Coordinates of all heavy atoms in Angstrom, one line a residue:
V540 N 14.3 30.0 -0.2 CA 15.0 31.3 -0.2 C 16.3 31.2 -0.9 O 16.7 32.1 -1.6 CB 15.1 31.8 1.3 CG1 16.0 32.9 1.4 CG2 13.8 32.1 1.9
I541 N 17.0 30.1 -0.6 CA 18.3 29.9 -1.2 C 18.2 29.9 -2.7 O 19.0 30.4 -3.5 CB 19.0 28.6 -0.7 CG1 19.4 28.8 0.8 CG2 20.3 28.3 -1.5 CD1 19.9 27.6 1.5
K542 N 17.2 29.2 -3.2 CA 17.0 29.0 -4.7 C 16.7 30.4 -5.3 O 17.2 30.8 -6.3 CB 15.9 28.1 -5.0 CG 15.6 27.9 -6.4 CD 14.5 26.8 -6.6 CE 14.3 26.6 -8.2 NZ 13.3 25.6 -8.4
T543 N 15.8 31.2 -4.6 CA 15.5 32.5 -5.1 C 16.7 33.4 -5.1 O 17.0 34.1 -6.1 CB 14.4 33.1 -4.3 OG1 13.3 32.3 -4.3 CG2 14.0 34.5 -4.8
N544 N 17.5 33.4 -4.1 CA 18.8 34.3 -4.1 C 19.8 33.8 -5.1 O 20.5 34.7 -5.7 CB 19.4 34.1 -2.6 CG 18.5 34.8 -1.6 OD1 17.7 35.7 -2.0 ND2 18.7 34.5 -0.3
N545 N 19.9 32.5 -5.4 CA 20.8 32.0 -6.4 C 20.4 32.5 -7.8 O 21.2 33.0 -8.6 CB 20.8 30.5 -6.5 CG 21.7 29.9 -5.3 OD1 22.5 30.6 -4.7 ND2 21.4 28.7 -4.9
L546 N 19.0 32.6 -8.0 CA 18.5 33.1 -9.3 C 18.8 34.6 -9.5 O 19.2 35.1 -10.5 CB 17.1 32.8 -9.5 CG 16.6 31.4 -9.7 CD1 15.1 31.2 -9.6 CD2 17.2 30.8 -11.0
K547 N 18.6 35.3 -8.4 CA 18.9 36.8 -8.4 C 20.4 37.0 -8.6 O 20.8 37.9 -9.4 CB 18.5 37.4 -7.1 CG 17.0 37.5 -6.9 CD 16.7 38.2 -5.6 CE 15.2 38.4 -5.5 NZ 14.8 39.1 -4.2
L548 N 21.3 36.1 -7.9 CA 22.7 36.3 -8.2 C 23.2 36.0 -9.6 O 24.0 36.7 -10.2 CB 23.4 35.3 -7.2 CG 25.0 35.3 -7.2 CD1 25.5 36.7 -6.9 CD2 25.6 34.3 -6.3
I549 N 22.5 35.0 -10.2 CA 22.8 34.7 -11.6 C 22.4 35.8 -12.5 O 23.2 36.2 -13.4 CB 22.1 33.4 -12.0 CG1 22.7 32.1 -11.3 CG2 22.2 33.1 -13.5 CD1 21.9 30.9 -11.5
E550 N 21.3 36.4 -12.2 CA 20.8 37.5 -13.1 C 21.7 38.7 -12.9 O 22.0 39.5 -13.8 CB 19.4 37.9 -12.6 CG 18.7 38.9 -13.6 CD 18.5 38.4 -15.0 OE1 18.4 37.2 -15.2 OE2 18.6 39.3 -15.9
T551 N 22.1 39.0 -11.7 CA 23.1 40.1 -11.4 C 24.4 39.9 -12.1 O 24.9 40.8 -12.7 CB 23.3 40.2 -9.9 OG1 22.0 40.4 -9.3 CG2 24.2 41.4 -9.6

Side-chain angles (χ1 to χ4, degrees):
V540 170
I541 292 172
K542 183 178 180 180
T543 300
N544 289 338
N545 286 338
L546 290 174
K547 290 182 177 179
L548 180 61
I549 292 171
E550 186 65 27
T551 301

